[in-house]
Amino acid sequence: MPENTDIPPENNTNNTGRRLSRQQVLTMISAASLNFSSMICYSILGPFFPQEAVKKGVSDTMIGVIFGSFALCNFVSSLILGKYIVQIGAKFMFVAGLTISGVVTILFGLLDKAPDGTIFIVLCLLVRCVDAVGFGASITASSSILAKAFPNNIATVLGSLEIFTGLGLVLGPPVGGLLYETFGYEVPFITVGCFILAMVPLNIFVLPTYDDLPGKNSFLALVKLPKVIILCFTIYSLGASLAFLDPTMSLFLIETFGLKVSYVGLVFLGLALSYSLSSPLLGVVSDRLPELRKWLLIFGNLGTALCFFMLGPAPIFHIESKLWLFIFVLVLDGFCIGLSSIPVFPEMLSAAYENGFEEGLSTLGLISGLFSAMWSTGSFVGPTLGGFLNEKFHFQWASAFQGLLPLVSFVLSLIFYSWEAKRKKKRSTSLETNSTVQEREPLVQEE
């Protein structure tokens, strides 16, 4: 029987320069289409929805809740879907989630017809929650499929695909702002929703099917690992930091610098471009020099914290808010977030495998689900708490408070990796001592 060349043996992916198989190429195409469509859908709200919601009688705090509800539902769905990805089927989960998201995105564009106040708020929350389940399914399945197809180069692949994530983030705000100013509230959502639905037939055709047997490991066993706990907090802090900007940044730019909605969308480009352009290089570094991952995480967390202290800037610095300074810090923040986020997934994989987790789609589903759940938790707390702090203390203090999360993550990462290095050094010294003792023992014992 001829060998199926479409399905690459896992050990064939050791060499990043090896030519990709047809199945790997198709998998990357599917993941790229999801990254782009999900991010353009996510980022399109930022420039104009907060102002539109205010017209509907929604407070800053409730605007944050509407943004954060997406993440809360994503948290629940990611854990459940990550656990049962083998039973459901990764490809079916991917395609079904994308279909749901396309439909509800179009529905979100019709909400301006809803009555002001409570009814508008309830409908926004309902649509956002259903959308979260859809994208939670697609993202969890996508991460698992990629890790299955590229077991030894996952950081490189994820980093390369972040170009499409960044492209979606880059195009979402300006395109959304332009369509909003030109055609009104409905058109941006209907356009993006139809684009997402157009991706469905493509993925049905090109996405390979990966089958596996259910595993015996659980989320509880995974989150008991010390390294995984630290990494989960890192994911949470990054998700919260990014999502904090959604309901607050546009209002700050408009009130402080008098920018138009279309220009606000352009400011969003700073973070998205620096993140997406640096991610491929950081992915290569993470895969080829795994010993540097801890330093990427540590300095990335520290840099992210400092950037959020300087976004306002925080009143304690007594620095006047300048548009050029805001954009510069935002660009630097995108790079720092890439430093922290790119190494997280391979670090979680290595921690699981080092502690006896079986290799396969089941473990990958657990890690993908946990990653998505922690990011979603941060994405819920970030805009919800951020909207409240922005309303009570203004953007300068709210941004500084948000910077405390990556700062705590920096401290925890530094302590853990220092402890781990000390433990490994002690273990190495112990092994060398035992080896020396054994070498000194005579081969034949004297009677």
Side-chain angles (χ1 to χ4, degrees), residues 8-20:
E10 291 188 355
N11 58 8
N12 281 353
T13 57
N14 287 329
N15 186 358
T16 57
R18 189 184 297 274
R19 184 178 178 181
L20 297 179

Side-chain angles (χ1 to χ4, degrees), residues 392-410:
K392 298 297 182 182
F393 305 106
H394 304 295
F395 182 84
Q396 290 87 342
W397 279 115
S399 177
F401 183 85
Q402 193 63 48
L404 293 176
L405 286 178
L407 184 62
V408 172
S409 184
F410 158 73

Side-chain angles (χ1 to χ4, degrees), residues 327-393:
I327 296 174
F328 172 77
V329 173
L330 205 63
V331 171
L332 184 60
D333 194 25
F335 174 73
C336 292
I337 288 174
L339 278 175
S340 298
S341 62
I342 295 300
V344 167
F345 197 94
E347 278 288 274
M348 293 181 75
L349 276 176
S350 65
Y353 293 151
E354 287 169 4
N355 287 273
F357 279 66
E358 56 196 18
E359 297 188 19
L361 190 60
S362 178
T363 297
L364 297 175
L366 290 176
I367 294 175
S368 299
L370 183 61
F371 187 100
S372 298
M374 290 299 101
W375 188 276
S376 298
T377 304
S379 297
F380 171 73
V381 175
T384 305
L385 182 59
F388 172 77
L389 293 174
N390 190 56
E391 186 176 354
K392 298 297 182 182
F393 305 106

Side-chain angles (χ1 to χ4, degrees), residues 64-106:
V65 172
I66 291 173
F67 274 95
S69 63
F70 182 96
L72 182 63
C73 294
N74 201 318
F75 167 80
V76 177
S77 62
S78 294
L79 291 178
I80 296 173
L81 296 170
K83 173 65 176 177
Y84 295 103
I85 187 171
V86 175
Q87 292 88 336
I88 297 173
K91 180 174 181 176
F92 176 80
M93 186 185 293
F94 186 107
V95 174
L98 204 60
T99 304
I100 293 171
S101 297
V103 172
V104 296
T105 298
I106 295 174

